[in-house]
Structure formats: C-alpha cells, structure tokens
Amino acid sequence: MSDLSNNVVDSIGFAAELICKSKHTVILTGAGISTPSGIPDFRSEGTGLWSYDEPLEVASLSTFRYHPERFFEWMRPLVIRIINAQPNPAHIAIARMEQAGYVKAVITQNIDNLHQKAGSSNVYETHGSLASLTCTQCFQRTSSDPFIRPLIENGQIPYCQKCGSILKPNVILFGEQMPYDAWQAAQLTARSCDLMLVAGSSLEVLPVASLPMQALDRGAHLVIVNQTPTYLGVRADVLILEDVARVIPAIAECVLNG
Ligand SMILES: [Zn+2]
C-alpha cells in the first residue's frame, strides 16, 4: 500500500470499517476486475482482441442466428483467454472475505468464472457464463465441457446431441434480454444488502448499472472502487478511483486482520 496516496489509504480504511460494521455486504463486479487477469473489456475500443472486428455487431443475437460460424470464430479467442485466465488478487480477496463471513454475495457482469475459480460460492452471473450451453431448438441445457476443446482447437461449432441443432452459449449477447430469473435474483440480492461495494464496473451497462441505486434507495451504504468515474460517484460513501487489483486486496487485508 506504500505507494498509494494518503487519501486512498484513508479511504481503504474507511471502506474496511463499513464492511466490518455491515451485516449484509454484496459486491458488484464488472469488466475492470477481470482486465488484470488478461481478459479485455470488450466494450472498450482498441483492446487487441477485438480490434479486428466490430464486437457490438458480431457478439449479437442476430449474428449468432444468421452467421453462427462467424460468431463462434469471433468467440474462439475469447474462450481461449477465459479458459486460461487465472483469478487475480482482487478475486481472491473477495473470496477470502466471503469465506470469513464478511461478504454475502457477488453479483457479476463477467462471464469468465473467475470468482468461482478464486473460491467464491455465492455468485450471481447477470450476463450468464460460458459454463453451459442451451439448444436453440429443443432447449436442452448442457455443460460446455465436452465442446470447449473441439471449439478452441479446431473451431468446431457445438451441436445438440439430442436433436442436432446448434447450441448457444448461456451468455447474454447484444440485443438479447437478460433472463428473468437471473435478473430477479440479482435485484433481490441488491435490495437485501446494507452495503454494496462496486468493484471494477463503470456502471454504464443497464440494467445492472441500476442495482447500486436500488441498494441506495433502501438505505444501503455504497463503496465504489473503479479506475474511472461512474454516474454514482457523488452518492458513494467511499469513492476510490484506483486499480481494483491493488485496492480490493488492501481493503480485505484491513477487514481480515483488523
Ligand atoms: Zn436440441
């Protein structure tokens, strides 16, 4: 922590104090928590992985429907990155605070499974995850495991073993609604907390960006740790504009070691 400014060190202490006093802390994470693990934020332009194509267009439901081969070819490097990615100190710090009873749940916009890899168990994935696929025809849900290797090694598109139709990864694409159940669960979690810690989300993507507001409306405290400002900075009890992979572990250190 030595090279963090005095202001940031004070804010880390205050955030830790709020977590220790809280009875129900919920953490909301976004792309910023996974970039230190080598997973680019595919909404920000110019980050190597996406620069050769238009992510907004290709990651859409219509590309999946009408040009599935193009969709999976686009998805292949992302899947390779995600399969090989390891949780960073921020993911690990969050898992440790959950295991110690200070954090009740994590709501994440990420599809990379890194919270679970780090050891978090109560994780709500609002944008889905790559861990499973659903058949577009018979709606059979299946694990991604048998399909990952053939896709990343040979570009093989996954087909349903029951009816032969194409399988869609259970991630939310552009132009697609969030599943009702996932959204209800995320809202319920946000509304039940007395402290929400936003980590690595610029709060730009609706409807997830509205969750901290729902928590605030019910009297919860708000801590935001993000590299760049967000629309709710003015409402935060603690605002830390810094790298989450440095700040979250420092907060956890204070929480766990007093
Ligand atoms: Zn099927």
Side-chain angles (χ1 to χ4, degrees), residues 135-140 160-165 167:
C135 177
T136 49
Q137 198 62 45
C138 73
F139 302 106
Q140 172 102 340
C160 179
Q161 282 161 337
K162 209 169 129 195
C163 77
S165 295
L167 295 170

Side-chain angles (χ1 to χ4, degrees), residues 217-230:
D217 285 347
R218 282 159 184 79
H221 289 289
L222 178 65
V223 175
I224 300 178
V225 182
N226 194 52
Q227 198 87 63
T228 54
T230 69

Side-chain angles (χ1 to χ4, degrees), residues 72-256:
F72 281 104
E73 199 43 49
W74 167 83
M75 196 153 201
R76 209 166 145 191
L78 174 65
V79 174
I80 294 171
R81 289 255 188 155
I82 287 178
I83 292 298
N84 294 324
Q86 295 305 321
N88 63 60
H91 294 107
I92 293 165
I94 289 171
R96 285 180 61 208
M97 288 192 285
E98 185 189 334
Q99 283 151 11
Y102 290 102
V103 168
K104 299 293 183 225
V106 178
I107 303 172
T108 187
Q109 296 169 280
N110 302 331
I111 59 166
D112 52 36
N113 212 37
L114 287 177
H115 285 296
Q116 291 92 332
K117 270 193 190 174
S120 286
S121 51
N122 201 16
V123 183
Y124 296 90
E125 296 165 306
T126 56
H127 291 173
S129 101
L130 283 178
S132 62
L133 303 149
T134 298
C135 177
T136 49
Q137 198 62 45
C138 73
F139 302 106
Q140 172 102 340
R141 200 182 159 104
T142 178
S143 161
S144 301
D145 289 345
F147 301 99
I148 296 285
R149 284 287 143 207
L151 172 66
I152 62 182
E153 283 165 16
N154 308 312
Q156 260 181 48
I157 296 179
Y159 288 101
C160 179
Q161 282 161 337
K162 209 169 129 195
C163 77
S165 295
I166 204 153
L167 295 170
K168 182 190 164 292
N170 286 329
V171 295
I172 310 302
L173 304 177
F174 292 99
E176 196 176 13
Q177 291 291 318
M178 194 179 286
Y180 179 79
D181 290 350
W183 178 235
Q184 287 299 108
Q187 286 190 105
L188 205 65
T189 307
R191 290 172 184 174
S192 63
C193 75
D194 60 4
L195 171 62
M196 180 170 279
L197 166 59
V198 175
S201 173
S202 302
L203 301 178
E204 281 167 349
V205 184
L206 285 167
V208 173
S210 72
L211 292 174
M213 191 58 105
Q214 297 189 32
L216 281 170
D217 285 347
R218 282 159 184 79
H221 289 289
L222 178 65
V223 175
I224 300 178
V225 182
N226 194 52
Q227 198 87 63
T228 54
T230 69
Y231 84 102
L232 275 180
V234 288
R235 300 281 308 270
D237 297 274
V238 184
L239 174 64
I240 306 177
L241 299 175
E242 262 287 350
D243 178 4
V244 287
R246 298 178 67 205
V247 172
I248 302 296
I251 292 174
E253 208 56 39
C254 294
V255 168
L256 298 168

Side-chain angles (χ1 to χ4, degrees), residues 44-68:
S44 62
E45 284 177 48
T47 46
L49 191 55
W50 319 109
S51 50
Y52 64 89
D53 217 328
E54 258 303 320
L56 292 184
E57 192 216 332
V58 80
S60 68
L61 192 59
S62 72
T63 303
F64 174 79
R65 277 196 187 132
Y66 301 112
H67 308 283

